Structure formats: structure tokens, C-alpha cells
Amino acid sequence: MTSQFKKFPSIETERLILRELTVEDAHNLYSYYSDREISKYLDWFGPQSEEQAIKMIRYWAKQYQEGTFMRFGIALKTDNKIIGTIPINPVRGTFEWKLPIVIGYELSRVYWNQGLMTEALKAVITYVFEELNNHRIIAEVFPENQASLKVLEKLGFQEEGLLKQHLYHEGTKTWHDVITLALLK
């Protein structure tokens, strides 16, 4: 991989630090994922223990070093506590190929409706377009997740269509339709 992937980037916004997750974040990661409201629109329930959270954090770090996946931890500047994440990955291959990027996100329910996710996503979108030099970002959202659709539309994402039974939820063992949206550089 390029030297760009030797050190995980840290991005600061007005209220947040977007940074690499460490094993010290496992407790907070596990804690907010334990709320089923967080994972009902994802493709998994999240780590089922702090030990599993540590394994996931280490696995994500390995994927970052391989240039195939990045998961920004969202931390408040006031205490550096992880309150959510934003994963990004190329559709295929590695970030070096300038392929479309798929973006996802989740945030502890305690912090919903405060504009924090919009603030964090703006910063990651800028990073994808300016630092990674990618041209297209894709998001896939359950049609019933109206809050997420509103956030993406506010950021300029355009709806491209409905993908039938596109996403499999590991926890519920069910297939889900998703609305695909995209943002171009």
C-alpha cells in the first residue's frame, strides 16, 4: 500500500475527533452497540461482548493496513469517548484504485438529533474526495430509516434506486431492501 496508509488519519471538526479505534475503545463500542435501536438498520448486531469488540477493532486495523477498509471512530472533543463510527471501503479492491467508496455510519442513541452525524459525515466526505481522491460515494439505507435518508439528502446524496433484498442482516437472518444513494465529487 501507499505511504498514505501507514498512519491512520485524525480529523477534527468543531465538536468531534474522527480517529482510529483502539482496544481502549472496546467498552464504549460494545456499550452503544448493545442498544438494538442502533443495529436494527445495519447488517449485524455489533460485537456481543467487549472481548469481541477488541477482536473487531484489531481486525479493522488489519484491514486498514491492507488498504481495503477504514472505520473512523467518532469521539467528542470534550472527553475523546467513542460514540459512533463511520466505515468506508472501496466497492472492490483497495483504496488505490479510485473505485467508488461505500460509506456507512452509526451513532449512540444518546447523541441523536444533535447534528453530530452530519458534522462527522461532512468531514469524512471531504477526506474521501480530497485526500483519497475518489470520485463517488455510495450509501445503502433501509427505506424505513427516514432519519438516515434525511441526513444523506442534507449532505447532497441523490437517490439512485431501490435494491430488492440486497442486504442480509446477520443477526436477524433476514434479507432487506435498501435505497441506494450516491454523491459525486
Side-chain angles (χ1 to χ4, degrees), residues 1-183:
M1 288 304 310
T2 64
S3 60
Q4 172 177 6
F5 287 89
K6 290 190 177 175
K7 185 173 183 331
F8 198 98
S10 179
I11 303 170
E12 289 194 30
T13 68
E14 181 182 339
R15 299 176 287 174
L16 304 169
I17 300 170
L18 307 175
R19 61 169 176 80
E20 184 173 24
L21 292 159
T22 68
V23 294
E24 289 78 23
D25 298 316
H27 173 75
N28 292 325
L29 188 71
Y30 168 67
S31 179
Y32 78 76
Y33 262 117
S34 297
D35 179 352
R36 287 292 182 253
E37 281 297 306
I38 301 300
S39 58
K40 75 179 183 182
Y41 297 129
L42 303 176
D43 60 356
W44 69 318
F45 283 139
Q48 299 302 297
S49 67
E50 284 188 40
E51 294 76 25
Q52 190 180 26
I54 289 169
K55 288 179 184 174
M56 292 303 306
I57 290 167
R58 288 181 175 147
Y59 178 68
W60 294 332
K62 181 180 179 286
Q63 288 181 301
Y64 172 74
Q65 290 303 315
E66 295 168 353
T68 60
F69 181 81
M70 294 178 75
R71 185 175 287 261
F72 285 95
I74 303 169
L76 294 171
K77 279 186 174 179
T78 54
D79 61 10
N80 202 28
K81 173 185 166 187
I82 292 296
I83 60 170
T85 71
I86 300 175
I88 63 171
N89 60 287
V91 170
R92 303 172 299 283
T94 65
F95 287 105
E96 290 181 326
W97 291 99
K98 308 298 179 239
L99 296 164
I101 297 292
V102 177
I103 194 168
Y105 49 90
E106 83 282 330
L107 185 68
S108 170
R109 190 169 14 164
V110 174
Y111 300 98
W112 288 2
N113 300 312
Q114 297 176 34
L116 292 170
M117 187 52 74
T118 301
E119 183 177 327
L121 285 169
K122 279 182 185 177
V124 172
I125 289 166
T126 299
Y127 175 80
V128 168
F129 287 154
E130 294 181 8
E131 300 300 321
L132 296 180
N133 198 29
N134 289 85
H135 181 71
R136 178 180 166 84
I137 303 173
I138 301 165
E140 297 170 342
V141 181
F142 287 24
E144 57 274 18
N145 189 349
Q146 290 298 306
S148 190
L149 289 168
K150 285 179 186 173
V151 167
L152 292 168
E153 289 167 3
K154 187 183 338 178
L155 292 168
F157 281 76
Q158 299 292 311
E159 186 175 324
E160 293 189 333
L162 179 70
L163 302 175
K164 302 295 267 177
Q165 296 189 11
H166 180 73
L167 187 137
Y168 184 74
H169 193 289
E170 289 292 330
T172 61
K173 308 293 186 218
T174 55
W175 287 96
H176 295 271
D177 297 347
V178 296
I179 295 172
T180 185
L181 302 100
L183 180 65

